[in-house]
Amino acid sequence: MHAIGIDIGGTKIAGAVVDELGAIVRTERVPTPAGDSAALEDAVVDMIRRLSATGPVTAVGVAAAGFIDAAQSTVYYAPNIDWRNEPFREKLEARVGSAVIVENDANAAGWAEFRFGAGRMVSDMVMLTIGTGVGGAIVAGDRLFRGGFGAGAELGHLRVVPGGIACGCGQHGCLEQYGSGRALMRMANEIADAGGIGQALARARDEHGALDGATVGGLIAAHDPGALAALRQLGRWLGEAAASLSAVLDPQRFVFGGGVAAAGELLLAPVREAFLEHLPARGYHPEPDFVIAELVNDAGVVGAADLARLWVEEHG
């Protein structure tokens, strides 16, 4: 019962043959021709054909950033690719001869964690992916939540500061502007500018010309007080947002993935603290677990493949 998972990223397309237990059998990687939608389609088709050559597969799942319709077929909008109302599933099925589903990349990663990673053994889970932006996935009652139009679970665009920092979505004050890797860099630069505990950050910025994720991550791992202060700010915003999400969704577990989640407990500690401070009816409301994602870079392809397999099982 092998299926193919394809994860279209901003810089690379990752593909894998995945078995029914979530184990990866074979992988492929190619650069993403993001500026040419026709070339991107060709690259995905070629990858599917290469991965299919090793043996029969039941279906193909494709994960991509953007709004995907509830039928897992049409890409309404993709931020990094020139797709607007793109019938991607129809185009791929016509060329590869296999059943295809298209899924939001954060949904695919969240589903993989729910089925095979940090979300095992619960029925209701929220995943927040903390990278350049903030991605989200919701599993409720053992089912992936997509919303009525398929564009649900855009948790990075939950508004946490009315009239706050402008967001790329066109609004202001979204969680993505306070709880992402980009937000962490802004906070680290502000601490560096202030001196005091920010001296190591300021020195690193002078040496490298700018702060980046690897530099700040290294200082966090070394327990630099300035870098830890920036991480605590980020964690508190995420904890506040998690409290609001808990009031609506009541998940048993929050899973944190993405590059910033590599900080582990250093991130989770301020998240838990802020969550409890803002949890409605604290003391009477059951408290969820907070954990770090397990599948890391493989989550997208594993989740896409599993969702494709389940689609075939349900629809025949």
Side-chain angles (χ1 to χ4, degrees), residues 106 108-120 125-131 135 137 253-265 267-268 272 289-300:
W111 183 253
E113 290 293 341
F114 171 72
R115 288 270 285 161
F116 308 111
R120 297 188 305 275
M125 179 202 88
V126 171
M127 180 167 170
L128 288 162
T129 305
I130 316 303
R253 184 166 297 165
F254 281 91
V255 178
F256 291 84
V260 178
E265 188 59 32
L267 171 66
L268 294 183
R272 289 193 195 97
D289 298 329
F290 292 82
V291 301
I292 299 298
E294 296 177 4
L295 300 182
V296 196
N297 295 328
D298 293 332

Side-chain angles (χ1 to χ4, degrees), residues 183-193 201 205 211 216 226-227 230:
L184 180 64
M185 294 304 104
R186 187 186 69 248
M187 295 166 184
N189 275 295
E190 290 170 354
I191 291 170
D193 291 340
L201 287 167
R205 186 173 60 186
L211 290 174
V216 174

Side-chain angles (χ1 to χ4, degrees), residues 15-43:
V17 177
V18 183
D19 71 17
E20 66 272 19
L21 299 179
I24 291 177
V25 177
R26 183 184 171 192
T27 62
E28 290 267 353
R29 297 284 190 279
V30 297
T32 302
D36 186 335
S37 58
L40 189 147
E41 180 185 322
D42 289 342

Side-chain angles (χ1 to χ4, degrees), residues 41-67:
E41 180 185 322
D42 289 342
V44 171
V45 168
D46 289 344
M47 180 175 283
I48 292 170
R49 287 171 176 165
R50 289 195 301 273
L51 290 170
S52 300
T54 58
V57 296
T58 59
V60 177
V62 179
F67 296 154

